[in-house]
Amino acid sequence: MPSSRRGAVLAASATALLLALSTTACGTGGDGGEGKGGKVRVRIAYQAIPNADLVVKNQKLLEKALPDAEVSWVRFDSGGDVNTAVIAGSADLGLLGSSPVTKGLSAPLDIPYKVVWIHDLIGDNEALVARRDIASVAALKGRKIATPFGSTSHYSLLVALESAGLKTSDVTLVDLQPQDALAAWKRGDIDAAYVWTPSLTELKKDGKVLITSRAIAERGRPTADLGVVTDAFAAKHPEIVDAWLKAEDQAVKLAKGDPAKAATAIGAELNLAPDEARKQLSELVLLTAKEQQGAQYLGRPGSPGALAGNLRDAAVFLKGQKAIDAVPGQADFAKSLAVEELARAAR
């Protein structure tokens, strides 16, 4: 699963944004603090991923549920950037890939947060696209491939290379955000890229899909986009965490029951036509709060789900890539699953 979507290095724009955020909070895992007029401040780090989180944002579901809170949504390009914001005390809730989450929960980062929601199971919305003359993953030997380092895409790319009998030394890997990878593709600077939508959609127009994250998952290496909450914020504002979870659950139910309406909201956030937004939405697997209580996902109080094992598997892989210092035990990952909070939302 995606551990955190990027490494520790921020793009220039993200750095500027982080500095601006840091003027209002500092220190690892801030608890939100007070906003204007003494209101509780809720800072949500989100990404441009076509899932139900954007429905919550677009429809202001959390703002409606919490009229006495000051809710701010801040966009980031990767889970690595979200990790950096959390460490700086500039985000209370956030969306990251399972890889950046794994990295965040492992040394040396050891970020005090927990997984409280599964935004989506990654399927065909992340994929490895290559020039049309490249017939297979194995044929990428000697080629230049772009992906955001530390992301779920990076994790899946390494799995794909390994499965094809290639070492990372057999290719040239370039650390690029999806939009930067797309620009490099158009310039002819790279031969392939493993990224997610909407940049993936553009790459596929004149490229060839070699493998998707859905296929990687079927080989036993699933990835997901996860929602995290800092320990400090969860302890101080459990009612806000509950409201956020219920808003996310409401948005997932809307996406399942009325995908056209959900796609319209997502399209408005991503500047996509509703039909394209609906297509991208369909490439993900969304789960309600009750479904996430299943043994294969987050699980229930006293019985944490298989997500803990998935995160540990990702940690083993990341340790092999020297991306983390050590592999935490599965029990440590199980303790990081916010099953109590999820159980309250699923009632």
Side-chain angles (χ1 to χ4, degrees):
M1 291 188 147
S3 63
S4 70
R5 260 194 180 161
R6 200 65 97 263
V9 180
L10 293 171
S13 59
T15 303
L17 176 59
L18 182 56
L19 289 173
L21 287 171
S22 297
T23 62
T24 59
C26 60
T28 302
D31 61 7
E34 290 188 355
K36 297 176 182 177
K39 290 185 174 183
V40 175
R41 183 175 56 207
V42 187
R43 300 158 305 174
I44 304 172
Y46 78 101
Q47 296 187 55
I49 297 172
N51 58 28
D53 195 37
L54 293 185
V55 176
V56 175
K57 179 180 183 294
N58 181 266
Q59 299 296 298
K60 298 188 181 298
L61 298 183
L62 188 58
E63 289 85 342
K64 292 172 183 176
L66 300 170
D68 295 325
E70 181 184 307
V71 180
S72 62
W73 293 76
V74 183
R75 178 172 166 173
F76 290 87
D77 290 330
S78 71
D81 295 350
V82 175
N83 271 341
T84 303
V86 173
I87 291 170
S90 301
D92 308 306
L93 292 147
L95 182 156
L96 308 85
S98 44
S99 290
V101 170
T102 300
K103 191 171 183 178
L105 292 171
S106 306
L109 296 183
D110 290 320
I111 301 174
Y113 60 32
K114 49 190 173 182
V115 180
V116 71
W117 187 250
I118 299 174
H119 284 290
D120 59 74
L121 302 179
I122 297 173
D124 297 324
N125 67 306
E126 285 193 14
L128 174 60
V129 178
R131 300 292 177 188
R132 292 190 181 277
D133 63 326
I134 299 174
S136 65
V137 177
L140 286 169
K141 186 173 183 178
R143 304 283 190 142
K144 185 178 292 186
I145 312 168
T147 195
F149 283 9
S151 69
T152 48
S153 285
H154 185 201
Y155 171 77
S156 295
L157 171 60
L158 296 180
V159 172
L161 293 175
E162 181 185 72
S163 298
L166 296 179
K167 301 176 182 178
T168 54
S169 58
D170 291 327
V171 299
T172 300
L173 297 182
V174 186
D175 182 12
L176 292 176
Q177 299 283 347
Q179 289 186 332
D180 295 330
L182 177 58
W185 172 271
K186 290 181 177 179
R187 290 194 304 268
D189 294 343
I190 58 175
D191 302 298
Y194 205 128
V195 295
W196 53 88
T197 54
S199 296
L200 173 62
T201 303
E202 295 301 312
L203 287 167
K204 289 194 294 186
K205 289 180 179 179
D206 56 355
K208 177 181 180 180
V209 175
L210 298 182
I211 194 168
T212 71
S213 292
R214 186 185 300 276
I216 296 291
E218 291 171 353
R219 297 179 182 181
R221 301 288 184 84
T223 52
D225 288 311
L226 305 175
V228 300
V229 60
T230 66
D231 293 348
F233 191 85
K236 189 171 183 178
H237 302 292
E239 76 289 349
I240 292 180
V241 176
D242 289 355
W244 180 80
L245 281 170
K246 289 177 180 177
E248 293 289 346
D249 191 41
Q250 180 183 346
V252 167
K253 290 174 179 176
L254 174 64
K256 286 173 171 281
D258 191 349
K261 184 174 181 180
T264 297
I266 292 169
E269 291 296 322
L270 298 179
N271 194 29
L272 293 175
D275 287 348
E276 177 59 30
R278 184 169 180 173
K279 179 179 179 295
Q280 292 186 19
L281 175 64
S282 71
E283 294 173 341
L284 297 165
V285 177
L286 306 184
L287 303 168
T288 65
K290 284 190 177 298
E291 289 171 334
Q292 293 191 31
Q293 287 189 294
Q296 67 270 48
Y297 303 120
L298 277 165
R300 298 174 178 271
S303 183
L307 178 58
N310 292 334
L311 293 175
R312 187 181 185 281
D313 288 344
V316 171
F317 194 81
L318 290 171
K319 177 64 170 63
Q321 298 297 320
K322 297 182 172 56
I324 59 176
D325 290 348
V327 178
Q330 186 164 326
D332 295 314
F333 285 115
K335 291 176 183 177
S336 298
L337 304 186
V339 291
E340 297 284 351
E341 290 85 345
L342 179 63
R344 292 200 301 266
R347 288 173 188 164

